[in-house]
Structure formats: structure tokens, C-alpha cells
Amino acid sequence: MGVGVAGLQAIATARRLGAQVSATDVRSATKEQIESLGAKAIFVEDVKGIEGEGAGGYATEMSDEYKAAQAALVSSHIAKQDIVITTALIPGRPAPRLISDAQIATMKPGSVIVDLAVEAGGNVEGAVAGQVVEKHGVKIVGHKNVPSRLASDASALFSRNLFNFLSAFWDKDAGKPVLDEEIGNAIRLTQGGKVVNERLLG
């Protein structure tokens, strides 16, 4: 639930391990990404004018109509799942609540929910930051700072992503990456000794 970087990685890993995977997100643009990884895309239908696409690839706050439709969608699917991974975050806001206690109660005993948004308030009712708790026979994993638990892999992933990003914009003559204004402004944190990123200033 939530198909950003972490969600896509979870889909790809689960598929490689042979799992049947379904995924959902409020951003319609992710449907193609989900299906390209061999997972089933599950989306709220017939709620017009809501794309959920915010700045930097994050979601935006959704309407009450959409939230109700999403809750119904989750309820119809979650009871069938053995493992649920939630990754939904909205910059500057508490993490949206995606799974209620009543929905957890419909899952099979022994199922597992991993709440990767637990440090921002959690996507799952009852998730506790830094703990693994059990509700209705379902384990809710609320580890803090998950990348630190896989430090070597996280470092390799970050460095590979950084290398690929810089390589795409590398100018051999200039001996440095040359970014256009839109991309440069989106990723630049500091310039000339000052913080310039709007999200950090806000």
C-alpha cells in the first residue's frame, strides 16, 4: 500500500520470491509501474478529479469521498493477504491511516503487516514505533529506521541510485552533472551556503 521507492522495491522483491502481489496507491500514474513489475494493480474507481500526485512524487491529502472509497477497497482485499506492507507518506503531514483495527481483525491469524510509515504516525491502527505488536493474531511490525537494519544493502542501493542519476546528467566537457532548472531546483538542498529547498524552508 503506497507505491513509491519502497513500495516498488517491495513489489519487485516479493515477485522474485514467487509471491502473488497486489498493490494500491492514490496516484493513478503508479498503475503502469505496478503492472510492469508483474503485480496486480488495485485502484479506487469512479472517484473523479483525484489523482493524489503531489510534489516530488509524494501523495497529497485526499478528499473524504476518496478516503471512504479507499477504506471500502482495502476492506474487500485485506482479509485475503498474508503480508501487507504500507509505505504511504505525505510530506509535512502525519501518515494517512490506511488500515483500521476492524480491518486487521478480518485477516488470517499469523498474517503480518509491516508499517514503514510508523515514525510519522503510522498507516496502521495500533502500530507502535520501535515495536512488533500483535492484534487479533496479526503481527504489526513497526521498526524504526528500517534502512539502518540493512545498512550494507541500503548503502549499496543509495550509491547505485546516486551514480545512475548523476551519470544521466554528466557533461564530459564540463566535468560535472548539468541539471536543468526544474530538476536542479527539485533536488538541491543548499546553494552558496544557504538552504534553498522549499520543503526544508517551509
Side-chain angles (χ1 to χ4, degrees):
M1 299 180 70
V3 188
V5 175
L8 290 170
Q9 192 65 249
I11 293 168
T13 300
R15 288 289 299 149
R16 282 196 302 271
L17 293 171
Q20 294 182 17
V21 183
S22 59
T24 186
D25 197 292
V26 298
R27 298 165 299 142
S28 60
T30 62
K31 185 174 184 179
E32 186 178 336
Q33 296 169 337
I34 293 167
E35 292 173 343
S36 73
L37 291 171
K40 180 181 179 182
I42 298 173
F43 278 79
V44 171
E45 305 290 346
D46 303 323
V47 180
K48 295 182 180 179
I50 300 172
E51 296 302 316
E53 185 74 56
Y58 284 92
T60 56
E61 188 67 33
M62 308 310 292
S63 71
D64 290 340
E65 181 189 7
Y66 189 98
K67 289 176 182 176
Q70 184 186 49
L73 180 71
V74 170
S75 294
S76 69
H77 284 278
I78 199 167
K80 307 169 191 173
Q81 309 305 316
D82 298 309
I83 300 171
V84 176
I85 301 171
T86 67
T87 68
L89 290 169
I90 301 172
R93 302 288 298 273
R97 184 56 47 85
L98 302 180
I99 300 176
S100 68
D101 184 73
Q103 290 167 329
I104 295 169
T106 68
M107 297 180 72
K108 293 172 285 194
S111 300
V112 176
I113 303 173
V114 180
D115 190 342
L116 292 179
V118 71
E119 291 179 88
N123 297 143
V124 183
E125 184 176 357
V128 179
Q131 295 183 30
V132 178
V133 297
E134 189 167 318
K135 301 272 179 152
H136 309 293
V138 177
K139 285 187 178 177
I140 305 171
V141 179
H143 291 320
K144 290 182 177 180
N145 193 8
V146 171
S148 72
R149 303 173 71 88
L150 303 161
S152 178
D153 295 305
S155 295
L157 178 63
F158 177 71
S159 61
R160 186 166 57 248
N161 285 348
L162 194 59
F163 174 80
N164 289 336
F165 176 79
L166 292 175
S167 296
F169 296 99
W170 195 262
D171 186 310
K172 290 182 180 179
D173 296 331
K176 63 181 182 180
V178 176
L179 307 173
D180 63 32
E181 185 176 348
E182 181 182 3
I183 294 173
N185 290 344
I187 68 163
R188 188 177 293 112
L189 302 181
T190 63
Q191 188 172 36
K194 295 180 181 179
V195 174
V196 295
N197 188 279
E198 289 184 8
R199 280 162 65 201
L200 295 179
L201 292 171

